[in-house]
Amino acid sequence: MKFDAVIVGSGVAGLTAAAYLSRGGCSIALCEKEASCGGLVRTFERGGFKYDGGIRAFENSGIFFPMLKQLGIPLELVRNEVTLGIEDQVIHLDTPDSVYAYKKLLTDMYPASKQEIEEITQQIVKIMHYMEVQYGIDNPLFLDVKEDRDYFIKKVFPWMFKYAITSPKIAVLNEPVVDYLKHYTNNQSLLDIITQHFFQETPAFFALSYLKLYLDYYYPVGGTGKLIEKLVALIRQHGGEIKTNTSINMVDPVQQTLTTSGGEKLEYKRLVWAADLKTLYDLVDPNQFTDEKVQRSVAQRKAVLADAGGCDSVFTLFAAVDIEPEYFSKIASAHFFYTPSRVGQSEAGPVPLGRPAKRSKNGLRIFSP
């Protein structure tokens, strides 16, 4: 079968690509190796309770709402208020000034590091301001110059000057957040507490802006999977084919074909790979290309990815409890980041305790029995 585009991977990236392409009149096939779409954005049900299997909120950032509007997707949303707690202290993040409540919380925990926390707070406030410029308007890529003419004149054009000034300042803050904060403190426990919610290589500008971004969290009524349901329905409405339980066993970029796990051959004009990048390069033979420059480029990228693996792991425990919601609302909001001890991850020892981690061939961390 021949398609204008074949999309591999049905996480949000693959689904939105398929939605825009099918809505634009392209014939598309969306291939997903799992039994259902969504990736880390899915909701499942057990015993009458609904659980979010991945993310617990959508962050607008000037993109999410404009995208829903442009695709014509109605989605009932509520504000997803965030609470942050360490040991017996809890703060609500409800305004940009909540950063000062966060500073007080850290100072109460680490009084000997008061000056260091003050300097770090100044950096957070500065970065929050940068992100206000970065995400402070609806992304122009999701707007129509004619239909949104007034918005462009009143909002976008003035914003472009601010963005031009701010963007270089953000680029300077691309250093991993842990390394960046080490310029201000050598208190490892404090470093762990501040950075614990982020992957190790998260850039400083992104991680330290989160006290601002938390204010931009929204939750779909019925679960995060509601967005997936809407995207899937839109794709099918516009004639897109969705092939679940379908892995890709072969990629021929020269003939522009894919072969699925079921032996089906799909021809494409354009390939959108929204799945694991390492898998793509494992399936592509650089020698297929006649252009030596392309051969070298593919071979180099393939070598870079050869030993790549996930650098962080997340263990999620889902619990259903027979307690009224009011019990929890007295403690915190529905979205609660809680740390039971100020002893940071670096000081807690190997996990599980006493069993050093080993690295397997595929890059996953395993533990000795």
Side-chain angles (χ1 to χ4, degrees), residues 10-286:
S10 74
V12 167
L15 285 167
T16 52
Y20 274 102
L21 288 168
S22 60
R23 182 172 169 270
C26 296
S27 59
I28 67 103
L30 175 62
C31 300
E32 168 56 50
K33 68 178 181 178
E34 303 294 341
S36 59
C37 298
L40 290 177
V41 184
R42 61 175 61 178
T43 301
F44 63 93
E45 188 171 333
R46 294 287 188 280
F49 290 90
K50 290 184 177 180
Y51 303 88
D52 294 311
I55 64 170
R56 271 69 169 179
F58 292 120
E59 182 185 305
N60 180 33
S61 298
I63 293 175
F64 186 60
F65 288 167
M67 183 193 77
L68 293 178
K69 180 181 177 182
Q70 193 175 65
L71 288 174
I73 293 177
L75 193 64
E76 187 180 356
L77 297 158
V78 294
R79 283 290 303 276
N80 194 333
E81 296 181 359
V82 173
T83 310
L84 191 150
I86 303 172
E87 295 181 354
D88 62 345
Q89 294 200 40
V90 176
I91 61 171
H92 291 266
L93 306 176
D94 46 17
T95 73
D97 286 342
S98 297
V99 64
Y100 300 108
Y102 183 58
K103 180 180 76 169
K104 182 179 184 305
L105 184 152
L106 293 178
T107 303
D108 290 345
M109 292 287 163
Y110 305 98
S113 299
K114 181 177 180 180
Q115 183 57 40
E116 297 168 359
I117 293 168
E118 175 65 37
E119 293 175 359
I120 290 171
T121 302
Q122 291 175 10
Q123 294 302 307
I124 293 174
V125 171
K126 178 181 71 176
I127 292 171
M128 286 171 62
H129 174 69
Y130 292 165
M131 290 299 105
E132 175 63 31
V133 175
Q134 181 90 349
Y135 300 121
I137 67 164
D138 289 349
N139 192 304
L141 293 176
F142 295 91
L143 302 175
D144 183 278
V145 177
K146 293 181 179 179
E147 292 183 7
D148 302 296
R149 180 174 175 273
D150 288 345
Y151 190 85
F152 267 93
I153 294 172
K154 296 177 181 178
K155 296 286 186 180
V156 176
F157 291 144
W159 167 83
M160 291 173 66
F161 294 102
K162 294 180 182 178
Y163 181 78
I165 295 171
T166 305
S167 185
K169 297 177 181 178
I170 295 174
V172 174
L173 299 167
N174 202 39
E175 185 178 12
V177 63
V178 174
D179 296 339
Y180 182 80
L181 289 177
K182 283 181 179 178
H183 299 310
Y184 300 95
T185 183
N186 59 6
N187 184 332
Q188 188 60 54
S189 177
L190 175 60
L191 285 169
D192 288 343
I193 288 294
I194 295 174
T195 63
Q196 63 182 313
H197 303 299
F198 305 98
F199 295 116
Q200 292 179 357
E201 299 299 316
T202 302
F205 75 84
F206 185 74
L208 297 183
S209 69
Y210 247 77
L211 290 177
K212 163 66 178 170
L213 299 180
Y214 284 147
L215 306 179
D216 213 15
Y217 273 15
Y218 292 86
Y219 187 78
V221 175
T224 57
K226 285 294 180 182
L227 174 63
I228 304 307
E229 293 176 12
K230 300 281 187 178
L231 287 168
V232 166
L234 179 66
I235 293 164
R236 287 178 171 152
Q237 176 188 341
H238 291 283
E241 290 191 34
I242 298 177
K243 301 174 180 291
T244 53
N245 294 311
T246 302
S247 299
I248 303 302
N249 287 356
M250 186 180 295
V251 178
D252 186 338
V254 177
Q255 298 298 321
Q256 294 183 287
T257 61
L258 300 177
T259 303
T260 71
S261 52
E264 184 180 13
K265 183 169 286 189
L266 306 176
E267 296 181 54
Y268 61 84
K269 294 180 182 178
R270 294 288 186 273
L271 172 63
V272 179
W273 194 275
D276 175 50
L277 193 58
K278 183 178 177 182
T279 300
L280 172 62
Y281 280 87
D282 284 344
L283 295 173
V284 173
D285 180 2

Side-chain angles (χ1 to χ4, degrees), residues 341-369:
S341 171
R342 76 188 74 183
V343 177
Q345 295 169 333
S346 299
E347 297 181 0
V351 181
L353 294 177
R355 291 193 284 165
K358 296 180 179 179
R359 188 166 292 280
S360 65
K361 292 182 179 179
N362 63 4
L364 297 175
R365 296 187 72 199
I366 57 176
F367 295 93
S368 304

